Every structure is written in structure tokens, then in C-alpha cells.
């Protein structure tokens, strides 16, 4: 009886984990709106926001994740590191630092359509 219970529990644990853990590549790429910000407050990761460094806010990716962000209007790309949470406006997928926004040519417009992919 104990052997059966253990294997049922193990099977249930494996099934639960396989449905909870993301499949390779899931949520690793995305497209949508992006905006930029240049505050000097603390980020959700605990570090101070520095507008001169290529960083980004994403709702769920782990802090430290590196993303290649491409402006869909002009094809320019920049690599950023996730260090904050957000954006909290519908349709937006990233908030970029001023430096990152400048690198992809979206400072003057304030927002842009972007695509991103996890690269590390």
C-alpha cells in the first residue's frame, strides 16, 4: 500500500510541476507598446533607477534578465536588463530607461511599438 501511495504522490507532483513550469520559450518573447521613464527612485529590485543605463521594467520576468528590444518603427535595437516591475498601462509590455529609449529612437515620441526577446 505504501508503494502505491508514494508513486501516486510522485506522479501527482510531476504532473503538477509540469503544468506550472513554463515551457521553454514561453513568455520569452513579446510585442506591444513601450514607454520610457527617467526617475531616480528605487526600483522593485531594490537598486536605484539610473536613467543613463539600459534597463527596463517588465511585469513578470526575473530581475537581471537581459532582453533585446527592437523598435518596430525603425528597426533599431538595444539590450536592456530587467530591474523593475511595470508597466501598468494596458497594451504596454515594457518601460525603458531614458538611455534605452534614446538608443532605439523613441525619446521624443515617448512611446513606441516594440518587440523583445530574452537573450540571457
Amino acid at each position: 500500500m505504501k508503494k502505491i501511495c508514494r508513486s501516486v504522490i510522485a506522479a501527482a507532483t510531476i504532473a503538477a510541476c509540469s503544468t506550472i513550469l513554463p515551457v521553454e520559450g514561453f513568455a520569452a518573447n513579446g510585442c506591444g507598446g513601450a514607454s520610457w521613464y527617467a526617475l531616480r527612485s528605487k526600483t522593485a529590485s531594490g537598486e536605484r533607477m539610473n536613467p543613463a543605463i539600459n534597463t527596463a521594467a517588465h511585469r513578470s520576468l526575473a530581475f537581471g534578465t537581459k532582453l533585446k528590444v527592437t523598435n518596430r518603427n525603425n528597426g533599431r535595437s538595444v539590450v536592456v536588463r530587467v530591474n523593475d516591475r511595470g508597466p501598468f498601462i494596458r497594451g504596454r509590455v515594457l518601460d525603458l530607461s531614458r538611455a534605452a529609449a534614446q538608443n532605439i529612437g523613441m525619446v521624443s515620441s515617448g512611446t513606441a511599438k516594440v518587440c523583445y526577446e530574452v537573450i540571457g
Side-chain angles (χ1 to χ4, degrees):
M1 184 78 169
K2 285 184 182 180
K3 260 188 177 177
I4 294 170
C5 291
R6 284 185 192 146
S7 51
V8 168
I9 291 170
T13 302
I14 291 168
C17 289
S18 65
T19 57
I20 293 171
L21 294 176
V23 178
E24 185 95 15
F26 178 76
N29 302 313
C31 292
S35 55
W36 66 272
Y37 65 117
L39 304 175
R40 291 195 174 267
S41 58
K42 274 195 174 179
T43 64
S45 66
E47 67 183 81
R48 180 113 0 234
M49 167 60 171
N50 183 345
I53 297 175
N54 293 330
T55 57
H58 187 276
R59 287 186 205 112
S60 60
L61 290 174
F63 296 135
T65 302
K66 294 199 179 188
L67 305 174
K68 179 181 177 185
V69 181
T70 304
N71 183 332
R72 292 172 57 188
N73 296 326
N74 61 21
R76 292 169 60 183
S77 297
V78 65
V79 174
V80 299
R81 179 178 49 86
V82 175
N83 72 339
D84 205 359
R85 290 291 173 235
F88 300 106
I89 295 176
R90 185 181 223 169
R92 293 195 188 160
V93 294
L94 293 172
D95 276 336
L96 301 174
S97 65
R98 187 180 201 292
Q102 192 165 24
N103 280 318
I104 62 170
M106 62 171 270
V107 171
S108 61
S109 63
T111 61
K113 299 285 185 199
V114 299
C115 287
Y116 67 90
E117 62 181 300
V118 173
I119 59 170

